[in-house]
Amino acid sequence: MPTETFMKLSEEKKNKILVAAKKEFTRVPFEQTSIKNIVEDAEIARGSFYQYFTSKEDLLQYMMKDDKEKLDNFIKDKLKETHGDVFEAYLAIYDFITQKMGEDKDLAFYKRLIENAKVVEDESSMLRIPKDLKGPFQQEEFLKLIDVSKLQIQDEEELHIVIQMLYLVTRKALVNNFKYQSTEKARKEYLKMIDYLKNGVLK
Amino acid sequence: MPTETFMKLSEEKKNKILVAAKKEFTRVPFEQTSIKNIVEDAEIARGSFYQYFTSKEDLLQYMMKDDKEKLDNFIKDKLKETHGDVFEAYLAIYDFITQKMGEDKDLAFYKRLIENAKVVEDESSMLRIPKDLKGPFQQEEFLKLIDVSKLQIQDEEELHIVIQMLYLVTRKALVNNFKYQSTEKARKEYLKMIDYLKNGVLK
DNA sequence: GTTGACAAATGACACTGTGTCACATATAAT
DNA sequence: ATTATATGTGACACAGTGTCATTTGTCAAC
């Protein structure tokens, strides 16, 4: 999280930094981004950056905060709406991200966000993006909203496994959505994956 | 791939470089490794490294080549043995990696290999590890070995989707295997995931 | 309106790492 | 012995990092 100092900055200055950061985080994969480029573009001194943020990760995490909250609320609403259908909820997340977020010119930025997601989440200086996407469903609050009566789920552990699989498949579909030229193809594949997950691959 | 020059080196020298590389690739996640450490440890000049390899990626890829081939052959044999059961084949891959490879002291190195796998495979300078693991099943040769008669698969595209899902789930299980202290827990979860994939989550 | 004290901004500094290239040194071929 | 040709080398110019002593700004108290 940013420091007090950053928060107290004028909206104008904060914005200039955030715009420069978004530009840099959009330009190349996360590991290739540099603080140097951000401070130069935002026209602040190198030392100032460290007065505001502890690291690149810190800054990006802050930039994702709003989206994450939006997503959290969206999921909660959707789960209530569908009376606890996780599959519907994940499909809704998928559509939300590909459409609501894809509408504006920040598309390339979100593409990077998805790309930046690592397979392994727990290495010290690593981005927590996947955890954030999966996040809500790891919290009690969300789990309680899921209706397991129609599912072959015995205990909470099995529920976690199902969520894990749904998450994997959703992330993969999102990657494909940004990778393929065709949004349709990616969605069709995603629906098929969900279908397999619900009904199985065996005849 | 390494240059001719590297190949012509004495076994002793090649080995010294490979040992130093393995040490470095084991030490930290791939992005944090440095050529500097490798050349210092291997006691070769910085310039020499670039005479042998074009990059870190190049070197690591070369180091993985043998394992990849071993795995490819193993999969092919297993598919024939099981008369084309993809699920059995993937489970065998899982056991092969966690046991056959886990036997020796290179465990930490393989752990890193799995960690290094990226969600997105197609960015220019990115490691191709996931592609390599998934690789064989993208080739005609392997696809033909799979028996789809008992599966709900209409065309090749759907087969690819199933393989994609199996791959995702297997990689996740491998990550967990190295993450958990318990090898058993990871395998149990993996079996459950395969079960869900085969028979579906719905009642 | 001057002072002082605290907050914020700055960029030079010492590091670590990169890839390259002109030169040095082997090895082989004539 | 001479000339090619292949291989090895480390200094060099860059790019980026995080820190810190110093400067600059702000504002309340006198």
Side-chain angles (χ1 to χ4, degrees):
Chain A
M1 279 294 102
T3 56
E4 277 290 305
T5 316
F6 176 78
M7 290 311 193
K8 277 189 263 173
L9 253 39
S10 74
E11 281 308 313
E12 198 190 359
K13 191 165 184 183
K14 270 192 285 188
N15 201 50
K16 196 168 182 189
I17 293 167
L18 260 16
V19 165
K22 183 166 275 186
K23 192 174 158 194
E24 178 67 0
F25 287 136
T26 303
R27 191 179 61 85
V28 283
F30 184 74
E31 318 88 56
Q32 290 168 42
T33 58
S34 82
I35 291 170
K36 186 176 176 283
N37 284 337
I38 296 172
V39 299
E40 277 172 8
D41 195 8
E43 289 174 296
I44 57 168
R46 177 159 195 78
S48 298
F49 181 91
Y50 292 97
Q51 200 112 45
Y52 306 148
F53 305 97
T54 49
S55 64
K56 277 195 298 188
E57 284 84 357
D58 190 25
L59 168 54
L60 181 54
Q61 221 131 20
Y62 170 68
M63 289 172 60
M64 296 188 321
K65 202 173 158 259
D66 277 356
D67 289 331
K68 188 189 171 325
E69 270 165 23
K70 240 193 283 171
L71 214 52
D72 271 21
N73 291 326
F74 180 81
I75 294 165
K76 223 187 283 181
D77 291 347
K78 212 67 197 178
L79 272 178
K80 284 172 187 160
E81 205 180 308
T82 62
H83 307 290
D85 186 332
V86 237
F87 296 100
E88 278 300 315
Y90 258 103
L91 179 57
I93 294 172
Y94 176 86
D95 284 333
F96 185 78
I97 293 178
T98 56
Q99 287 164 37
K100 291 282 184 330
M101 284 185 167
E103 268 166 12
D104 61 356
K105 73 291 167 202
D106 289 337
L107 194 107
F109 177 67
Y110 290 115
K111 182 180 171 178
R112 287 286 179 210
L113 278 198
I114 304 280
E115 275 183 16
N116 287 337
K118 288 263 190 167
V119 175
V120 181
E121 302 96 347
D122 55 1
E123 190 69 29
S124 59
S125 74
M126 243 171 214
L127 279 176
R128 289 290 141 72
I129 297 164
K131 216 174 176 179
D132 286 345
L133 218 186
K134 186 170 43 182
F137 287 109
Q138 290 177 326
Q139 293 167 239
E140 275 292 333
E141 187 190 358
F142 285 91
L143 289 181
K144 274 189 292 191
L145 293 171
I146 297 171
D147 174 22
V148 292
S149 68
K150 288 170 193 130
L151 311 178
Q152 286 193 298
I153 288 177
Q154 312 295 333
D155 48 35
E156 197 168 292
E157 210 171 305
E158 290 192 358
L159 178 56
H160 267 116
I161 291 175
V162 171
I163 288 169
Q164 193 163 259
M165 290 177 79
L166 260 168
Y167 166 68
L168 288 175
V169 153
T170 305
R171 193 177 59 184
K172 182 69 187 175
L174 284 171
V175 168
N176 286 343
N177 174 74
F178 286 114
K179 196 164 82 179
Y180 299 163
Q181 59 289 60
S182 154
T183 292
E184 258 183 60
K185 190 189 172 196
R187 194 171 191 276
K188 201 183 134 222
E189 282 185 13
Y190 182 47
L191 288 176
K192 189 72 208 174
M193 287 196 279
I194 289 183
D195 177 50
Y196 278 138
L197 202 47
K198 283 165 96 168
N199 304 306
V201 176
L202 292 188
K203 268 184 182 157
Chain B
M1 280 296 103
T3 57
E4 278 291 302
T5 315
F6 177 78
M7 291 311 192
K8 279 189 263 174
L9 253 40
S10 74
E11 281 308 312
E12 198 190 0
K13 192 166 182 182
K14 270 192 284 189
N15 200 49
K16 196 168 181 189
I17 293 167
L18 260 16
V19 166
K22 183 165 274 186
K23 191 174 159 195
E24 178 66 0
F25 287 135
T26 303
R27 190 179 60 86
V28 283
F30 183 74
E31 318 88 58
Q32 289 168 44
T33 58
S34 82
I35 292 169
K36 186 176 176 284
N37 284 336
I38 296 172
V39 299
E40 277 172 7
D41 196 6
E43 290 175 297
I44 57 169
R46 178 159 194 77
S48 298
F49 181 92
Y50 292 97
Q51 201 113 42
Y52 306 147
F53 305 97
T54 50
S55 63
K56 274 194 301 188
E57 283 85 356
D58 191 26
L59 168 54
L60 181 52
Q61 220 131 20
Y62 170 67
M63 290 172 64
M64 296 189 320
K65 201 173 159 262
D66 278 355
D67 289 331
K68 188 189 171 322
E69 270 165 22
K70 239 192 283 171
L71 214 52
D72 271 22
N73 291 327
F74 181 81
I75 294 164
K76 223 186 283 182
D77 291 346
K78 213 66 196 179
L79 272 178
K80 285 172 187 161
E81 205 180 309
T82 61
H83 306 290
D85 187 331
V86 238
F87 297 100
E88 278 300 315
Y90 258 104
L91 178 57
I93 294 172
Y94 176 86
D95 283 333
F96 184 79
I97 293 178
T98 56
Q99 286 165 38
K100 291 283 183 334
M101 285 184 165
E103 267 167 14
D104 62 354
K105 74 291 170 200
D106 289 337
L107 194 104
F109 177 66
Y110 290 115
K111 183 179 171 177
R112 287 286 180 210
L113 278 198
I114 304 279
E115 274 183 16
N116 286 337
K118 286 264 189 163
V119 175
V120 181
E121 304 96 345
D122 57 359
E123 190 69 28
S124 59
S125 75
M126 244 170 212
L127 278 177
R128 289 290 141 70
I129 298 163
K131 215 175 176 180
D132 287 346
L133 219 187
K134 186 169 44 180
F137 287 110
Q138 288 177 328
Q139 294 168 237
E140 276 294 332
E141 187 189 359
F142 285 92
L143 289 180
K144 275 188 292 190
L145 293 172
I146 297 171
D147 174 23
V148 292
S149 69
K150 289 170 194 131
L151 311 178
Q152 286 192 300
I153 288 176
Q154 312 294 333
D155 47 34
E156 197 167 292
E157 210 170 306
E158 290 192 359
L159 177 55
H160 269 116
I161 291 175
V162 171
I163 288 169
Q164 193 164 261
M165 289 177 79
L166 259 168
Y167 166 67
L168 288 175
V169 153
T170 305
R171 194 176 59 184
K172 183 68 186 174
L174 285 171
V175 168
N176 286 344
N177 175 74
F178 287 114
K179 195 164 84 179
Y180 300 163
Q181 59 289 61
S182 156
T183 291
E184 257 184 61
K185 191 188 172 199
R187 194 170 190 278
K188 202 183 134 221
E189 281 185 13
Y190 182 48
L191 289 175
K192 190 72 208 174
M193 288 197 279
I194 288 183
D195 177 50
Y196 278 138
L197 201 46
K198 283 165 96 169
N199 305 305
V201 176
L202 292 188
K203 267 182 184 160

